[in-house]
Amino acid sequence: MKSRILMGLAILLAATTAASAQAPKTVKIGVLNDQSGAYADMGGVGSVVAAQLAIEDSGLKQKGWTIDVVSADHQNKADIAANVARGWFDVDGVDMITDVTNSAAALAVNQITRDKNKVMLASGPATSDLTGKACSPNTVHWTSDTWAFAHGTGQAIVKTGGDTWFFLTADYAFGQALERDTADVVEKNGGKVVGRVRVPLGTSDFSSFLVQAQGSKAKIVGLANSGADTTNSIKQAAEFGIVAGGQNLAGLLIYISDVHSMGLPVAQGLILTSPFYWDMNDKTRTFSQRFAEKMRGAKPTMVQAGVYSATLNYLKTVAELGDAKDGRKVVDAMKAKPIKDPLFGEGRIRADGRKIHDMYLFEVKKPAESKAPWDYYKLRATIPAEEAFRPLSQSECALLKS
């Protein structure tokens, strides 16, 4: 009798093991961003291409994994982003959402991801609240944030004499966070904020706002906006003669797609902070060439590079675990080891979900300094990873207390 029981258990165990071995290994990735509005150039379809390149480079398909990518345009609306995320998680079997450009949209998806125990790898949104008061065990904020931009670009400008500021701010979560973090840097370094104005996302006519900036007499007009809003405000500032009149512009979040859109005659001299530039080294150049072949010659922005980097590291972790279904377990595993990344170099994911790596202070070249298409930046300084992002001692993240 005992031998029969043991034999039965052995057969059951063998059958279970065989079923497990034959279980399909699947991952479904959702790229959620702005594909038709102000932020389409720095994320958009390019982020979908970046995710597909990461899947290709992971090698998992050759090992029998099924990996699918879906994408959607949230139109920079938090309610649409939330509805798409719920549908993807509940109905379509999506395991991980990436990019999520637009901070308001990202904050909404962040909570849903936590509730559903999935994964969000945020590359596009900039609000530092994602690793502060809104931090989640299911989210990694990958590329950069408002704290890093403020302390990179803002601090460099204040230290070189730009000590009075007027902010022209995109009126939603991202712009408000960028203004807040930059104003804090300005004031802590002895500067003064003399005024500010909030501007609706997607504004085409900045004239009334620029008149207020001009009237403030501030040395620096801080552009706490992004994408098409940034390029339009800079172009119109040139028409108003703001720089010619003795004020300077501070583009607090500039993408290479913005510089390309404006052209070097307009963008020259802008100082910006970024963790990625396509021409940094052989690895960034190789990736960027592959990307450009699929994007009609366009080089990747930091957001698109972040989608590639985050997706590739996610897939490596999922392969090691053998499963993508427990989001918190996947993120914990990603946090457990250092990251050596082909685009961002060495880094790690902190307990608050902040992916840290070196940041760089760049200056946009003069037209005569550019030797080829997309040859736009020159390096001014490297900001070490441990200095580039908000210290944990200043964080409001509840995960640090648990």
Side-chain angles (χ1 to χ4, degrees):
M1 183 64 144
K2 184 187 262 186
S3 62
R4 284 187 200 165
I5 293 173
L6 291 173
M7 185 178 294
L9 288 172
I11 292 170
L12 179 61
L13 179 62
T16 302
T17 302
S20 176
Q22 294 169 8
K25 294 181 176 180
T26 63
V27 182
K28 199 164 190 178
I29 295 167
V31 180
L32 181 59
N33 59 16
D34 174 8
Q35 299 187 5
S36 57
Y39 302 150
D41 287 345
M42 53 87 155
V45 175
S47 288
V48 180
V49 168
Q52 291 167 338
L53 288 173
I55 292 169
E56 181 181 317
D57 291 350
S58 74
L60 292 190
K61 283 193 171 183
Q62 292 88 332
K63 296 178 181 178
W65 287 71
T66 299
I67 307 174
D68 295 319
V69 176
V70 294
S71 67
D73 182 353
H74 59 37
Q75 303 171 44
N76 290 308
K77 296 179 180 177
D79 58 338
I80 293 177
N83 288 335
V84 170
R86 285 194 190 95
W88 278 354
F89 290 149
D90 292 343
V91 179
D92 299 325
V94 167
D95 301 295
M96 182 271 278
I97 294 179
T98 190
D99 192 344
V100 211
T101 299
N102 184 297
S103 292
L107 289 167
V109 174
N110 178 60
Q111 185 59 51
I112 295 166
T113 304
R114 183 173 190 163
D115 293 343
K116 305 295 183 181
N117 193 25
K118 300 293 186 175
V119 176
M120 181 170 89
L121 302 180
S123 182
T127 177
S128 58
D129 290 343
L130 279 172
T131 54
K133 60 186 179 182
C135 71
S136 161
N138 296 76
T139 291
V140 179
H141 200 177
W142 201 269
T143 304
S144 193
D145 59 33
T146 53
W147 196 98
F149 293 129
H151 285 73
T153 308
Q155 189 161 279
I157 290 172
V158 175
K159 287 185 174 181
T160 54
D163 57 3
T164 56
W165 286 62
F166 182 97
F167 284 100
L168 197 152
T169 302
D171 193 16
Y172 76 104
F174 149 70
Q176 293 160 19
L178 185 53
E179 179 195 302
R180 175 197 68 204
D181 290 346
T182 308
D184 183 60
V185 170
V186 170
E187 290 165 353
K188 283 183 176 177
N189 284 273
K192 184 179 180 182
V193 176
V194 299
R196 64 196 76 200
V197 63
R198 298 288 170 84
V199 184
L201 177 64
T203 293
S204 58
D205 183 1
F206 285 82
S207 56
S208 64
F209 309 113
L210 291 168
V211 166
Q212 293 180 60
Q214 210 165 26
S216 74
K217 307 297 183 184
K219 292 180 183 177
I220 304 296
V221 179
L223 304 177
N225 53 18
S226 181
D229 286 349
T230 301
T231 59
N232 286 335
S233 55
I234 291 175
K235 288 176 182 177
Q236 291 175 39
E239 294 170 6
F240 272 77
I242 284 182
V243 175
Q247 293 174 289
N248 287 303
L249 301 176
L252 297 169
L253 178 47
I254 299 287
Y255 297 95
I256 197 167
S257 52
D258 301 331
V259 175
H260 187 73
S261 174
M262 289 184 283
L264 292 182
V266 173
Q268 61 181 314
L270 281 173
I271 296 171
L272 60 103
T273 306
S274 177
F276 173 84
Y277 175 49
W278 72 270
D279 200 22
M280 288 289 287
N281 54 55
D282 287 343
K283 290 180 179 179
T284 59
R285 284 188 284 270
T286 298
F287 165 75
S288 299
Q289 181 58 38
R290 291 170 60 209
F291 179 91
E293 288 169 0
K294 296 178 180 292
M295 291 295 294
R296 299 181 179 179
K299 298 299 186 185
T301 66
M302 68 175 99
V303 169
Q304 293 155 346
V307 168
Y308 171 87
S309 170
T311 302
L312 183 61
N313 280 278
Y314 167 80
L315 291 173
K316 287 180 179 179
T317 302
V318 166
E320 291 171 1
L321 294 174
D323 184 52
K325 303 312 172 187
D326 187 333
R328 189 170 301 185
K329 183 178 179 181
V330 173
V331 172
D332 284 345
M334 293 177 74
K335 291 178 178 178
K337 58 184 181 180
I339 295 169
K340 192 168 184 178
D341 187 89
L343 303 188
F344 291 79
E346 295 184 357
R348 62 186 176 89
I349 302 170
R350 300 189 314 197
D352 60 348
R354 176 68 262 168
K355 161 68 165 50
I356 67 169
H357 38 247
D358 290 349
M359 295 284 288
Y360 305 97
L361 192 68
F362 293 107
E363 181 179 335
V364 176
K365 292 181 175 181
K366 297 175 182 177
E369 295 174 316
S370 178
K371 305 303 181 187
W374 297 88
D375 176 23
Y376 295 154
Y377 295 174
K378 53 186 177 183
L379 181 64
R380 287 182 52 151
T382 297
I383 308 168
E386 298 296 337
E387 299 175 16
F389 296 94
R390 178 175 53 204
L392 290 176
S393 60
Q394 297 178 18
S395 178
E396 299 176 79
C397 177
L399 297 176
L400 303 176
K401 301 172 186 176
S402 60

